[in-house]
Amino acid sequence: MQRPRGIRVIATATAALVPVTLGLTGCAATPDPGTVTVLNSATDAAEHDANQKFFDRCAKPLGLKVEQISVPADTVASKALRMASSDSLTDILELDGSELPQFAETGGLRPLDEVGLDTGGFSAGATSLGSYDGTQYAVARSVNSLALIYNKDLLRAAGVEPPTTWAQLRETAKKLTSGNTYGMAFSASPNADGVYQFLPFFWSGGGDEARLDNGKGEAALTLWKDMLGDRSVSKSVVNWNQQDVNDQFVAGRAAMMINGPWQVPVLSAQDKVDWAVATIPVPRAGQDAVAPIGGTVMAVPKSDDSGREKNAGKILTCLNSEKNQLAWGESVNNVPTKESAAASYAEKYPKLAPFVDLVATARSRTAQVGTRWPVVNDALAGAFQSVLTGGAGPEKALKNAQRQASAGEK
């Protein structure tokens, strides 16, 4: 299974972006005026072909062609830098949303309104994902987030409903824990997977990534620690990535899990577990869950050839029509970013509607801290790892995390 996008750590090479600001103004790798080039991470043959289908659908009526240059996801940033340094950067650059600030800060990306893309009608979270310092430089065709996925049979047998609050989550997880089955599973790995899964609890409880020790993030750490102490969560969560969590759920070793829509193909292909999706529990009834929004975004690097930039803008406009967004969202099990397309998606796939609702209130990880996110990511990972392994209490862990994040900003 391909690793879900939107949750990986920014490539180390991206840190070298600032010194090469001028390098982002290169022209396209292929000088053919009728070809629009795209750098992306669609290395999987099926994904590459699916992308090409949509590119061709948009390019042919315009008398254009689209050529993809696909590299592994964790090398897109470094590949873009090398291409920029040789004035061969593509016309469209598809990045993980968490990487956008590193590129936008250089001034090497063209604001989308300057290439003719109408940015109206997109969800607030999607707009934030593609923006930097108040300007939208990139657009996401679809996005993902997290939800509570549960085993309907196990909940029915225990006589419980999907929990909606933290207190209910803890009690429900206890009731569902029996034999080799834990009530709850999540990823608490010391990397981007674990942080992505911690954020819905951290943010919904009032935690602030710009000030980790604001006194409101401790509740989320306490919840995770308490569930581990109840033995309704496996101690192995500190090592599980999101795929491991899904494996545990499908094997019947977890009655509930936190996970994303990228797991839908695997869940739909198996017949051992009758599953359903619910919103992520919140501290108090009536609150909206605040989850992270993830996915890739497409940007237009600045070029000396305005015609190439305009052609790139036309391709992006077509890709983000309601019809094409809905079709793309269906093909990748992600939520379309235009509100009208998202509504159609929820109506067509009611089983996945909770993901649509969660995306509506989801936030970009970089919205507040911008290029400092990688440091904050590491600090948060250290905090919950310390708490879950007994190294520190929640308050001390977040104070240590803030010191780590502050030191990393210098």
Side-chain angles (χ1 to χ4, degrees):
M1 166 111 185
Q2 185 178 5
R3 181 179 176 82
R5 294 180 178 178
I7 55 173
R8 59 189 169 80
V9 178
I10 296 173
T12 302
T14 313
L17 269 166
V18 176
V20 293
T21 300
L22 297 179
L24 272 175
T25 58
C27 58
T30 305
D32 178 6
T35 299
V36 175
T37 54
V38 181
L39 176 63
N40 62 22
S41 60
T43 53
D44 176 78
E47 182 185 7
H48 191 92
D49 291 346
N51 260 310
Q52 196 63 49
K53 175 183 175 181
F54 281 85
F55 285 137
D56 291 345
R57 178 186 297 178
C58 289
K60 286 181 180 178
L62 298 170
L64 300 171
K65 295 179 180 180
V66 173
E67 176 184 309
Q68 298 180 75
I69 300 173
S70 301
V71 299
D74 58 359
T75 66
V76 171
S78 56
K79 176 69 172 179
L81 288 173
R82 291 194 298 272
M83 295 179 78
S85 66
S86 61
D87 288 340
S88 60
L89 193 56
T90 53
D91 301 305
I92 295 174
L93 176 60
E94 186 171 9
L95 298 160
D96 185 279
S98 63
E99 292 174 333
L100 179 68
Q102 307 290 333
F103 282 83
E105 186 182 50
T106 71
L109 300 179
R110 186 69 66 187
L112 291 183
D113 59 358
E114 294 184 14
V115 297
L117 180 65
D118 181 0
T119 57
F122 290 85
S123 67
T127 298
S128 176
L129 188 67
S131 299
Y132 175 74
D133 200 22
T135 299
Q136 190 166 357
Y137 292 99
V139 61
R141 294 187 275 176
S142 66
V143 289
N144 60 62
S145 191
L146 295 166
L148 180 75
I149 301 176
Y150 62 94
N151 184 317
K152 294 168 65 176
D153 292 333
L154 291 181
L155 267 69
R156 187 181 303 113
V160 295
E161 297 292 326
T164 59
T165 66
W166 286 4
Q168 291 174 1
L169 174 63
R170 187 178 176 188
E171 288 306 310
T172 301
K174 288 180 185 179
K175 292 178 180 179
L176 292 169
T177 299
S178 177
N180 294 324
T181 299
Y182 289 96
M184 179 67 175
F186 51 78
S187 169
S189 56
N191 51 34
D193 270 25
V195 173
Y196 200 67
Q197 295 223 338
F198 180 61
L199 284 175
F201 299 95
F202 183 72
W203 280 341
S204 297
D208 184 352
E209 64 270 38
R211 190 67 192 177
L212 300 176
D213 59 350
N214 73 344
K216 297 182 179 179
E218 288 88 340
L221 287 174
T222 299
L223 174 66
W224 274 22
K225 181 181 180 181
D226 287 345
M227 286 194 292
L228 199 68
D230 294 338
R231 297 186 179 181
S232 57
V233 170
S234 171
K235 292 181 180 179
S236 297
V237 296
V238 296
N239 298 314
W240 288 347
N241 61 31
Q242 297 191 98
Q243 186 57 50
D244 296 328
V245 172
N246 194 62
D247 291 343
Q248 294 293 316
F249 181 78
V250 171
R253 292 192 289 270
M256 301 182 292
M257 69 169 175
I258 300 297
N259 231 311
W262 52 83
Q263 305 293 5
V264 169
V266 174
L267 292 170
S268 298
Q270 56 82 44
D271 56 10
K272 295 180 181 178
V273 177
D274 185 11
W275 58 279
V277 183
T279 191
I280 293 180
V282 292
R284 293 173 297 280
Q287 286 184 292
D288 288 327
V290 184
I293 193 169
T296 60
V297 295
M298 292 184 177
V300 178
K302 287 182 178 178
S303 168
D304 293 333
D305 188 338
S306 62
R308 299 194 72 88
E309 292 181 356
K310 296 296 184 184
N311 284 341
K314 291 175 183 177
I315 296 295
L316 293 185
T317 295
C318 175
L319 290 174
N320 287 283
S321 69
E322 180 178 343
K323 178 181 178 180
N324 283 334
Q325 273 207 1
L326 180 58
W328 178 252
E330 292 172 348
S331 71
V332 296
N333 296 294
N334 273 1
V335 179
T337 54
K338 278 198 168 177
E339 293 176 335
S340 57
S344 298
Y345 184 86
E347 183 177 353
K348 191 172 183 179
Y349 302 99
K351 190 170 186 175
L352 303 180
F355 284 114
V356 177
D357 295 336
L358 284 159
V359 163
T361 57
R363 284 176 44 193
S364 167
R365 290 156 289 169
T366 62
Q368 288 198 61
V369 296
T371 57
R372 303 197 309 276
W373 172 250
V375 176
V376 174
N377 180 92
D378 291 346
L380 273 175
F384 60 69
Q385 278 270 310
S386 179
V387 169
L388 295 180
T389 58
E395 183 177 0
K396 181 179 179 181
L398 285 175
K399 285 184 177 179
N400 290 341
Q402 181 57 39
R403 282 195 292 271
Q404 179 183 342
S406 298
E409 294 168 8
K410 295 177 181 178

